[in-house]
Amino acid sequence: MRPVLYVLTFLAVMGLAFWAYRENYATQQALKDVSALNREIATLRESLSVQRAEWAYLNRPDRLRELAALNFDRLGLLSLEAVQFGSAAQVSYPPDPLQVVTPQDLRPGDISGEVGEPL
């Protein structure tokens, strides 16, 4: 009986060693993948900051004003002036929300018909 127990124990240890070996390499691969993703994120963030700087450079008001003046014949762009904007009094605000009607607010003639009948 002891030799069988020794063989089963040996097989269990070998199985656990194989599992630990595979987990070790899977973990190392996952760490490499995370490292690669972090490098890619850093590269993309740097690229995004460069693109934001270029966008800010290209959208300078004096540059846009000059381009609008140069291409006025083709595009007909006009510069923005204060008189082109409306005042706050011209803004149409949404109506007040509906008020909740409670049964105490109703008068006897407000509702017609029986329950289930169309009003």
Side-chain angles (χ1 to χ4, degrees), residues 26-93:
T27 303
Q28 288 178 3
Q29 185 60 41
L31 290 174
K32 287 178 186 175
D33 292 344
V34 167
S35 233
L37 285 174
N38 284 335
R39 280 192 304 274
E40 183 180 358
I41 288 170
T43 303
L44 291 174
R45 282 186 178 162
E46 183 179 340
S47 173
L48 183 61
S49 66
V50 168
Q51 289 174 354
R52 284 183 178 152
E54 288 175 352
W55 182 256
Y57 178 75
L58 291 174
N59 282 324
R60 293 185 328 270
D62 56 337
R63 178 183 175 276
L64 293 177
R65 201 173 298 116
E66 182 182 324
L67 286 175
L70 287 174
N71 295 306
F72 180 76
D73 297 336
R74 287 188 319 146
L75 302 175
L77 298 175
L78 299 174
S79 60
L80 292 177
E81 297 177 8
V83 296
Q84 295 172 329
F85 295 99
S87 66
Q90 295 173 327
V91 175
S92 62
Y93 292 101

